[in-house]
């Protein structure tokens, strides 16, 4: 496949960014300066090249937990200095990944927009002066908040961009390593940045983003309520959800990745249940969520009676850019595409992944990044069991690194 050539023939022909993007509220001169810096950096890459050759220093959650407090507050500056060294390296690794994309994909305006976002983030973080005092750290926090906001739609943009050039992709599985690495690296960077910002907060049972007494039952209940509201809006009803197993379990864990994975899995289960009972929408079987906690990992099983996944689709649903939503969206009994339901969650943490084919594969990638797994068992004609397995941060087994 043709690789992207970073030579002069690119000229000034970088396509304009879509008008609805993050920086749309900036003035034209501001945008011009931003784009000029991004394009200049595109040609003159020595700093990015050097950073991309450096190894990433990943932390265990236990390290983050026990270094997240100090009597004199020195942990705040140490955390900021670690991020100042680490984030540019990780972003440079991702820029290198964008460069390795096939030329026809890398030239897609939406993909190129995401590439530019990473280049600008690298510039802003690299240009920030050394953090010496609390004032420097406060300004660095403001920069982190800005970058988190600028990059909040990256997953959706990647899905849109790859969908736009889908006809040029002969085998979608070839993009899986790029997407797995890009999405999990993004998760890791957002977790580190959010952890540093949260160190300033005095929140009961939390050290940064780590909950010292996480109740999986309460977290599941929160996302059950969310998914049921969406389901009721679309179908007029929603399955009840019963939670059993180790419902009293509490342990240290990071809820942030679960805030993406759980709503995705619950939305899938509810949608399957409702669509397999369209003729009896007010008499649908319950969904059962089982919690299994042990000294190595946490297992959450979500069991629905939504008819199961057909044999010929089972191996495809955890691959990027494959979605069974497209067929169901045409069913006249639904009263409109199911994606309307998910538009309501566009501003929340559970983005509108339905129809993009990113929900399950991203959940799988996140689970594997956290030292776990996501497995599906389909009973065709009956329903589906989804097993989410996540390694404890303080268990007997080796912990994952962020």
């Amino acid at each position: 496949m043709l690789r992207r050539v970073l030579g002069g023939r690119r000229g000034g022909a970088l396509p304009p960014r879509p008008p609805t993007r993050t920086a749309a509220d900036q003035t034209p001169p501001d945008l011009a300066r931003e784009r000029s810096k991004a394009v200049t950096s595109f040609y003159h890459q020595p700093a990015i090249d050097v950073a991309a050759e450096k190894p990433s220093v990943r932390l265990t959650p236990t390290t983050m937990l026990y270094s997240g407090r100090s009597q004199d507050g020195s942990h705040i500056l140490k955390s900021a200095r670690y991020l100042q060294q680490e984030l540019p390296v990780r972003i440079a690794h991702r820029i290198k990944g964008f460069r390795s994309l096939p030329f026809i994909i890398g030239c897609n305006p939406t993909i190129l927009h995401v590439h530019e976002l990473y280049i600008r983030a690298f510039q802003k973080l690299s240009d920030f002066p050394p953090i010496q005092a609390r004032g420097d750290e406060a300004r660095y926090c403001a920069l982190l908040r800005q970058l988190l906001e600028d990059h909040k739609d990256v997953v959706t943009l990647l899905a849109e961009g790859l969908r736009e050039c889908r006809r040029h992709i002969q085998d979608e599985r070839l993009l899986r390593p790029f997407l797995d690495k890009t999405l999990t690296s993004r998760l890791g960077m957002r977790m580190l940045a959010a952890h540093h910002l949260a160190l300033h907060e005095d929140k009961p049972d939390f050290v940064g983003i780590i909950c010292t007494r996480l109740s999986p039952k309460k977290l599941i209940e929160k996302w059950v309520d969310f998914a049921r509201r969406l389901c009721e809006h679309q179908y007029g009803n929603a399955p009840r959800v019963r939670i059993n197993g180790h419902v009293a379990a509490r342990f240290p864990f990071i809820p942030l990745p679960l805030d993406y994975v759980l709503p995705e899995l619950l939305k899938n289960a509810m949608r399957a249940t409702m669509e397999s009972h369209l003729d009896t929408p007010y008499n649908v079987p319950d969904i059962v969520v089982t919690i299994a906690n042990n000294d190595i990992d946490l297992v959450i099983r979500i069991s629905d009676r939504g008819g199961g996944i057909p044999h010929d689709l089972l191996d495809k649903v955890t691959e990027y850019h494959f979605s069974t939503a497209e067929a169901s969206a045409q069913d006249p009994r639904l009263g409109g595409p199911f994606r309307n339901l998910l538009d309501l969650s566009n501003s929340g943490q559970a983005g509108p992944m339905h129809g993009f084919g990113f929900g399950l594969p991203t959940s799988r990638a996140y689970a594997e990044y956290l030292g776990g797994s996501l497995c599906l068992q389909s009973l065709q004609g009956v329903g589906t069991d989804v097993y989410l397995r996540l390694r404890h941060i303080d268990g007997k087994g080796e912990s994952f690194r962020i």
Side-chain angles (χ1 to χ4, degrees):
M1 287 185 292
L2 287 173
R3 298 285 178 180
R4 174 126 95 251
V5 179
L6 299 179
R9 72 193 190 103
R10 291 298 295 270
L14 288 175
R17 287 187 298 146
T20 57
R21 303 309 180 205
T22 349
D25 56 344
Q26 289 181 277
T27 62
D30 289 337
L31 284 175
R33 281 192 292 271
E34 288 285 332
R35 289 189 61 79
S36 176
K37 288 180 68 177
V39 173
T40 301
S41 175
F42 197 84
Y43 290 112
H44 306 291
Q45 300 278 2
I48 293 177
D49 292 338
V50 170
E53 294 303 315
K54 295 179 181 178
S56 176
V57 180
R58 295 173 62 180
L59 302 179
T60 65
T62 307
T63 301
M64 295 167 62
L65 178 63
Y66 290 110
S67 63
R69 285 177 177 162
S70 64
Q71 291 184 340
D72 58 1
S74 60
H75 64 289
I76 297 286
L77 287 179
K78 289 179 181 176
S79 172
R81 288 167 184 156
Y82 163 74
L83 288 184
Q84 190 173 30
Q85 295 293 320
E86 182 65 14
L87 290 182
V89 171
R90 297 195 184 197
I91 290 172
H93 288 172
R94 291 304 88 232
I95 294 172
K96 187 176 180 180
F98 277 97
R99 291 183 196 168
S100 71
L101 284 172
F103 184 82
I104 194 69
I105 297 175
C107 287
N108 173 272
T110 310
I111 299 296
L112 192 57
H113 170 54
V114 178
H115 189 169
E116 286 186 14
L117 282 175
Y118 275 85
I119 291 173
R120 277 197 294 276
F122 180 87
Q123 290 170 336
K124 290 178 180 179
L125 290 166
S126 299
D127 291 346
F128 198 90
I131 298 172
Q132 305 289 353
R134 284 298 183 92
D136 301 328
E137 189 273 335
R139 288 187 291 275
Y140 191 71
C141 285
L143 174 59
L144 291 179
R145 292 188 186 94
Q146 176 196 338
L147 292 177
L148 286 172
E149 176 66 21
D150 290 346
H151 288 245
K152 65 178 170 49
D153 296 325
V154 159
V155 177
T156 304
L157 291 172
L158 282 173
E160 289 177 355
L162 290 173
R163 193 172 187 82
E164 288 164 4
C165 50
R166 187 176 183 178
R167 67 182 181 276
H168 303 298
I169 305 171
Q170 292 184 345
D171 188 349
E172 294 169 351
R173 290 173 295 181
L174 296 176
L175 288 173
R176 174 169 167 169
F178 167 78
L179 287 168
D180 277 0
K181 190 64 181 175
T182 299
L183 295 176
T184 57
S185 174
R186 175 181 179 271
L187 173 65
M189 287 189 282
R190 291 184 79 84
M191 289 170 70
L192 291 174
H195 179 71
H196 177 75
L197 295 173
L199 289 177
H200 290 272
E201 303 171 5
D202 187 15
K203 194 175 176 182
D205 297 329
F206 271 84
V207 176
I209 61 169
I210 303 172
C211 179
T212 56
R213 297 181 68 248
L214 178 77
S215 166
K217 178 175 181 286
K218 288 187 177 180
L219 193 61
I220 292 167
E221 286 174 339
K222 179 181 80 169
W223 288 116
V224 163
D225 290 343
F226 169 83
R228 292 192 84 246
R229 286 198 304 273
L230 293 179
C231 195
E232 287 170 355
H233 174 82
Q234 178 63 28
Y235 297 100
N237 190 30
R240 292 186 305 170
V241 178
R242 293 185 283 117
I243 303 175
N244 60 26
H246 297 148
V247 294
R250 284 184 179 269
F251 43 80
F253 206 76
I254 303 174
L256 193 150
L258 285 171
D259 286 337
Y260 175 86
V261 175
L262 285 176
E264 285 299 326
L265 301 183
L266 289 165
K267 286 186 292 189
N268 283 345
M270 290 189 183
R271 169 178 158 261
T273 300
M274 295 306 299
E275 291 189 8
S276 65
H277 295 81
L278 287 172
D279 296 326
T280 57
Y282 295 99
N283 183 22
V284 296
D286 294 352
I287 293 170
V288 180
V289 179
T290 304
I291 301 167
N293 183 45
N294 57 71
D295 54 9
I296 294 178
D297 55 17
L298 161 73
V299 186
I300 298 174
R301 182 184 66 190
I302 300 177
S303 301
D304 68 64
R305 294 298 173 262
I309 302 170
H311 293 83
D312 58 330
L313 304 185
L314 189 56
D315 292 336
K316 300 178 181 178
V317 292
T318 55
E319 297 293 336
Y320 294 100
H321 276 273
F322 181 87
S323 179
T324 57
E326 295 173 1
S328 67
Q330 306 304 318
D331 194 313
R333 293 175 293 178
L334 297 186
F338 184 85
R339 63 175 57 92
N340 291 343
L341 182 159
L342 295 181
D343 287 342
L344 296 180
S345 64
N346 193 17
S347 59
Q349 289 165 300
M353 291 297 99
H354 178 85
F356 284 117
F358 261 48
L360 273 177
T362 303
S363 298
R364 170 195 53 75
Y366 284 0
E368 292 172 359
Y369 179 74
L370 299 173
S373 62
L374 181 69
C375 302
L376 281 72
Q377 295 289 334
S378 179
L379 285 73
Q380 286 79 7
V382 178
T384 303
D385 287 356
V386 179
Y387 294 84
L388 174 65
R389 187 179 295 272
L390 298 172
R391 190 176 292 274
H392 279 307
I393 68 175
D394 63 344
K396 286 186 177 179
E398 183 181 355
S399 180
F400 56 91
R401 290 179 178 266
I402 297 171

